[in-house]
């Protein structure tokens, strides 16, 4: 009799655990973007460069698992987390069109946030920490000693956002605003008199602690999600402003992009074969 009771308890508890894992809903957004920007890189040139940049990004939003002690019924109630990856290519030229920058940018990060909800979840406000790493590479077309500029940054950022939902007859919409700004981190810059081949030969650059006193980053976006009967789309704009440097070097990046993306939700079924 005890054996049958034990088997019954296992069969009852196992589906509950599986269902709890299945209840984790992932909100994924895949987007493309195109825009214009301004780049100042005094390591390569004292002139400012303007042009176009094109990118691809993906982000995912997810509540903490409800079957864990940190989930909905645990210590992190109202907490969730977000991750994102952004890649872009830039083509900038100087005002005389006599030279150009070709650039590659990559950024990825993860953050956790606390969310408040009002008016039947139509109004949502969230805030929390965000950790981001970024890589920027620029190629200067007509330069002999300095043809490549490379900088790396890792930042602990403050993140916050607000959204509002409104509805149509067979559609629904959500207006979103998201802001991220750096607090403290680490960055790497080249030395002003250092050429690109000296970097490859082991001449060190400048690695330092960074923060608002020497490295300012502001990234924000305004987007509108449009949900139709069979698909959900995102349109909006992203703006990035970065300013950093030393006494000898100054870097500025100011970019505004239009984005178009597709948004969908899915659940992971841990008990099913791939």
């Amino acid at each position: 009799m005890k054996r049958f009771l034990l088997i019954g308890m296992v069969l009852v508890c196992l589906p509950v655990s599986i269902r709890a894992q299945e209840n984790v809903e992932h909100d994924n957004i895949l987007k493309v973007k195109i825009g214009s920007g301004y780049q100042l890189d005094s390591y390569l040139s004292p002139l400012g460069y303007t042009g176009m940049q094109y990118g691809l990004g993906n982000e995912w939003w997810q509540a903490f698992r409800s079957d864990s002690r940190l989930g909905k019924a645990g210590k992190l109630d109202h907490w969730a987390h977000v991750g994102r990856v952004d890649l872009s290519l830039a083509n900038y030229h100087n005002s005389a069109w006599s030279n150009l920058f070709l650039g590659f940018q990559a950024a990825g990060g993860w953050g956790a946030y606390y969310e408040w909800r009002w008016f039947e979840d139509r109004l949502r406000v969230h805030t929390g920490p965000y950790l981001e790493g970024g890589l920027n590479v620029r190629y200067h077309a007509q330069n002999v000693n300095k043809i490549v500029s490379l900088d790396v940054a890792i930042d602990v950022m403050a993140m916050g956002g607000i959204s509002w939902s409104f509805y149509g007859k067979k559609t629904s919409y959500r207006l979103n605003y998201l802001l991220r700004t750096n607090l403290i981190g680490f960055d790497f810059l080249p030395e002003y008199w250092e050429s690109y081949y000296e970097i490859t030969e082991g001449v060190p650059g400048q690695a330092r602690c960074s923060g608002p006193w020497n490295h300012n980053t502001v990234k924000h976006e305004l987007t509108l999600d449009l949900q139709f009967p069979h698909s959900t789309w995102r349109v909006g704009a992203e703006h990035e402003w970065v300013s950093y440097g030393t006494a000898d070097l100054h870097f500025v990046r100011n970019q505004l992009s239009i984005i178009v993306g597709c948004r969908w939700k899915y659940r992971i079924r841990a008990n099913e074969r791939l």
Side-chain angles (χ1 to χ4, degrees):
M1 186 64 180
K2 293 182 179 180
R3 180 180 300 177
F4 288 109
L5 289 175
L6 180 60
I7 295 175
M9 291 176 63
V10 171
L11 292 177
V12 170
C13 293
L14 183 59
V16 170
S17 176
I18 292 175
R19 284 196 299 270
Q21 295 184 26
E22 291 177 354
N23 285 336
V24 180
E25 186 175 67
H26 300 69
D27 191 0
N28 195 87
I29 304 164
L30 180 64
K31 57 190 177 183
V32 295
K33 59 183 179 180
I34 180 173
S36 61
Y38 169 83
Q39 175 73 62
L40 174 64
D41 184 339
S42 62
Y43 173 78
L44 295 178
S45 172
L47 302 177
Y49 282 61
T50 59
M52 301 295 295
Q53 50 96 17
Y54 315 88
L56 178 68
N58 189 66
E59 59 186 84
W60 54 97
W61 303 73
Q62 176 189 336
F64 283 97
R65 281 175 43 179
S66 59
D67 62 334
S68 70
R69 293 182 179 180
L70 302 180
K72 294 181 179 179
K75 298 179 180 180
L76 291 186
D77 190 20
H78 296 289
W79 281 86
H81 56 101
V82 55
R84 61 187 299 155
V85 175
D86 292 285
L87 304 173
S88 63
L89 299 174
N91 183 6
Y92 291 165
H93 54 80
N94 60 18
S95 58
W97 285 77
S98 60
N99 209 341
L100 60 85
F101 284 163
L102 297 178
F104 169 75
Q105 302 174 22
W110 180 89
Y113 61 91
Y114 186 91
E115 185 174 63
W116 296 268
R117 300 185 178 187
W118 298 281
F119 305 109
E120 299 179 347
D121 293 346
R122 297 177 66 182
L123 176 62
R124 303 182 184 186
V125 177
H126 72 267
T127 184
Y130 186 83
L131 178 65
E132 181 178 81
L135 168 67
N136 291 275
V137 182
R138 289 171 294 278
Y139 168 75
H140 202 194
Q142 298 182 24
N143 201 324
V144 177
N145 292 321
K146 298 178 179 181
I147 62 173
V148 175
S149 178
L150 170 68
D151 58 271
V152 180
I154 300 175
D155 292 306
V156 176
M157 311 183 80
M159 174 180 63
I162 184 171
S163 65
W164 172 257
S165 295
F166 51 100
Y167 311 116
K169 184 177 181 180
K170 293 184 179 180
T171 59
S172 62
Y173 309 91
R174 179 174 289 275
L175 185 63
N176 312 280
Y177 176 75
L178 179 65
L179 171 68
R180 302 190 306 277
T181 184
N182 67 312
L183 299 176
I184 192 170
F186 161 87
D187 66 8
F188 173 85
L189 304 168
E191 294 284 356
Y192 179 73
W193 298 108
E194 184 179 31
S195 63
Y196 75 95
Y197 55 83
E198 289 176 325
I199 296 177
T200 62
E201 293 175 356
V203 177
Q206 305 177 72
R208 61 181 189 173
C209 178
S210 62
W213 59 91
N214 61 9
H215 191 133
N216 293 281
T217 300
V218 177
K219 297 183 178 182
H220 57 141
E221 58 190 69
L222 180 65
T223 58
L224 177 64
D225 297 328
L226 307 97
Q227 185 180 46
F228 302 105
H230 302 290
S231 63
T232 302
W233 296 89
R234 166 168 288 191
V235 295
E238 293 183 355
H239 178 240
E240 176 182 2
W241 181 80
V242 184
S243 177
Y244 55 99
T246 64
D248 299 322
L249 293 172
H250 194 200
F251 301 86
V252 175
R253 186 168 64 252
N254 189 8
Q255 298 178 159
L256 179 63
S257 303
I258 302 299
I259 64 171
V260 177
C262 182
R263 179 173 184 170
W264 68 93
K265 296 183 179 181
Y266 64 94
R267 299 179 187 271
I268 294 178
R269 299 185 179 274
N271 61 323
E272 292 186 359
R273 293 181 180 272
L274 296 176

